[in-house]
Amino acid sequence: MSIGNAIKFMKNVDLDSSFRKSLYKLNGIMEFRKFQIAEDLEFSDAEFEDAFNHLHSECQFAEQADKLFHVKHLFELIICDTK
């Protein structure tokens, strides 16, 4: 698992509509973890938070931060069955 994978995941969500659509179909943490393995994008929840904080610190414009927060909210919706 790695922060790098979490960053790649966030960039894919933002830039790749087919990747994003695949995420919308997932139902819960177990399906998400299988998706991560299939996409070779394994990372922990803590690594996601670290990656989010890193990318957020690099945002220069509100629009960039808004997109990033959208990705974070999508992630939280997918894994909500564990919280």
Side-chain angles (χ1 to χ4, degrees):
M1 294 197 220
S2 76
I3 293 171
N5 282 348
I7 290 172
K8 184 176 177 184
F9 168 82
M10 287 187 245
K11 289 182 178 183
N12 284 346
V13 170
D14 183 39
L15 301 173
D16 185 344
S17 63
S18 64
F19 184 86
R20 191 170 45 253
K21 287 176 185 176
S22 296
L23 289 173
Y24 292 145
K25 296 175 185 177
L26 301 177
N27 186 19
I29 190 72
M30 296 307 292
E31 286 185 21
F32 179 70
R33 297 299 180 212
K34 289 177 186 177
F35 177 83
Q36 283 183 291
I37 293 168
E39 295 291 323
D40 196 28
L41 291 173
E42 295 178 79
F43 54 86
S44 68
D45 295 352
E47 288 168 330
F48 180 89
E49 286 297 321
D50 289 343
F52 171 83
N53 291 331
H54 171 75
L55 291 176
H56 188 241
S57 71
E58 294 182 343
C59 290
Q60 295 179 343
F61 304 102
E63 294 82 13
Q64 291 171 314
D66 288 344
K67 283 184 177 183
L68 189 59
F69 275 99
H70 176 75
V71 172
K72 183 177 183 180
H73 291 275
L74 176 59
F75 176 74
E76 290 170 347
L77 284 171
I78 293 168
I79 65 164
C80 70
D81 69 349
T82 63
K83 302 198 181 216

